[in-house]
Amino acid sequence: MKQTNKKTLTLKTLNKSNVWDVQENDIVRMWAAAEKDADLRDNMRHYLDVIKSAFSVEEVLVDRPEVIKKYEARDCKIAQVRLDENTKIKWAIKKKPILRITDLTYENIHHISAVKLIEVLDRNFGGGWESIPQSIRDIIESGFDISTTTLPQNRLKKKGGLYEKKIEDGYEVLEIPKGLWVEAIFVKEKPEMEIPKRDVEENVDIEEDDREDIEDDDDDMLDDDDHYNDSDEDDDDEFDEEKLTEESYRTTFETDPEDLELAAEGVADDDDY
């Protein structure tokens, strides 16, 4: 099993992935350390769900020696735990075994070795790599590099061939006989990819810079709007009443007096009708 620093794990930091790195004693220790924490009572269901994703946890209802021996015969860890200030119970805890390919999950695939995976595949095989359901192959390939080749038995381990190169490169291999031919499945653990903290911080800085640019653009737009309004105000400022002349206020027109007399006669003729 791949090793991690279990000392840093607590009940609060335990999740459905790293829980596969701990053993029964670790669960008992972490629970005991959290017994006096009020957060344990508030989130007990959550913590139990995480633990039960990798362990079978059964309450011992009959606390008698013969019953305890039966649990221990199944390799269970018997431990007394406190649920609250007034309630103590006994648990029978056992790590769930990974024996079949159907036991593999995205949570535990990174916590088994290539040797362990070969054992699981060998226990379940018959038709070869392609006979495994695609959903399970996806899970396996999320944690391991997988490659296969099928060759006549007398050519599989030819000197300088693929088989030899894969072994030198650190791959484990499972050989599946198919008559006079052999399918070789090569398995190697993928390194777990982690995003460097520095890159995360740089991304945050970039986002902050983008936010500032957007705010600056908004300010510029507001400034443009202000200038547009200012142009109207400037036009009003240019309006000067002192520049108005008498011609600007004139509401009559200069005409010839004779034209006015003719117009008056025309009006009089109309009145005759």
Side-chain angles (χ1 to χ4, degrees):
M1 180 166 298
K2 301 177 185 180
Q3 297 296 318
T4 59
N5 187 4
K6 294 186 291 185
K7 293 181 180 179
T8 61
L9 292 178
T10 65
L11 208 59
K12 291 182 179 180
T13 60
L14 208 61
N15 58 52
K16 290 186 178 181
S17 177
N18 62 27
V19 69
W20 287 95
D21 284 327
V22 302
Q23 302 302 323
E24 293 86 352
N25 287 334
D26 300 311
I27 296 297
V28 175
R29 173 183 55 80
M30 287 187 282
W31 194 277
E35 282 181 352
K36 297 180 180 180
D37 192 338
D39 188 61
L40 174 62
R41 294 188 295 272
D42 296 337
N43 298 282
M44 187 179 299
R45 180 175 296 180
H46 166 71
Y47 297 140
L48 279 175
D49 285 344
V50 172
I51 293 171
K52 288 180 178 180
S53 68
F55 293 84
S56 60
V57 179
E58 186 176 342
E59 182 180 352
V60 180
L61 299 176
V62 181
D63 189 4
R64 292 204 303 260
E66 61 270 24
V67 176
I68 298 299
K69 286 182 179 179
K70 288 182 179 179
Y71 281 115
E72 291 175 341
R74 291 162 45 194
D75 296 326
C76 293
K77 168 71 176 178
I78 307 300
Q80 183 172 274
V81 297
R82 185 189 297 272
L83 300 183
D84 54 47
E85 295 180 357
N86 303 315
T87 307
K88 288 184 179 181
I89 63 172
K90 278 190 176 180
W91 276 349
I93 310 172
K94 184 181 179 182
K95 186 77 167 284
K96 290 181 179 179
I98 301 175
L99 301 175
R100 302 176 297 275
I101 56 176
T102 51
D103 294 329
L104 298 172
T105 66
Y106 283 106
E107 286 76 22
N108 65 28
I109 194 65
H110 292 284
H111 302 279
I112 63 174
S113 65
V115 173
K116 175 65 176 177
L117 178 60
I118 289 292
E119 292 176 1
V120 173
L121 294 177
D122 190 27
R123 189 178 294 114
N124 291 270
F125 258 54
W129 176 251
E130 294 297 328
S131 68
I132 300 177
Q134 184 63 53
S135 59
I136 296 177
R137 277 187 279 161
D138 290 342
I139 291 172
I140 294 172
E141 290 180 325
S142 70
F144 294 86
D145 281 322
I146 304 291
S147 58
T148 66
T149 185
T150 303
L151 292 170
Q153 189 172 7
N154 60 355
R155 291 181 51 194
L156 179 63
K157 300 180 182 179
K158 182 180 179 180
K159 187 175 179 58
L162 178 64
Y163 190 103
E164 185 178 274
K165 291 178 181 179
K166 288 292 187 181
I167 296 299
E168 291 176 352
D169 199 24
Y171 282 79
E172 299 291 334
V173 61
L174 174 63
E175 298 177 26
I176 304 195
K178 295 185 175 181
L180 298 177
W181 293 63
V182 177
E183 178 178 355
I185 303 174
F186 303 100
V187 177
K188 186 178 181 181
E189 297 172 19
K190 284 182 179 179
E192 291 191 53
M193 302 299 294
E194 295 183 0
I195 301 175
K197 184 178 180 181
R198 180 179 177 183
D199 291 346
V200 174
E201 293 175 350
E202 287 177 353
N203 289 337
V204 172
D205 293 339
I206 291 174
E207 291 178 358
E208 291 178 351
D209 291 341
D210 291 342
R211 191 180 301 112
E212 291 177 358
D213 291 341
I214 293 173
E215 291 175 353
D216 291 340
D217 291 342
D218 290 342
D219 291 340
D220 292 340
M221 293 178 66
L222 290 174
D223 290 342
D224 291 341
D225 291 341
D226 291 342
H227 291 317
Y228 177 80
N229 293 332
D230 290 345
S231 64
D232 294 339
E233 294 175 359
D234 291 341
D235 291 342
D236 292 340
D237 292 340
E238 291 176 359
F239 183 80
D240 190 349
E241 293 183 358
E242 293 181 358
K243 294 181 180 180
L244 293 176
T245 62
E246 184 179 352
E247 297 294 333
S248 302
Y249 288 100
R250 180 171 298 167
T251 56
T252 58
F253 297 94
E254 292 183 358
T255 57
D256 190 334
E258 294 181 358
D259 293 336
L260 293 176
E261 290 177 359
L262 292 174
E265 291 176 356
V267 172
D269 293 341
D270 293 336
D271 290 340
D272 293 337
Y273 290 99

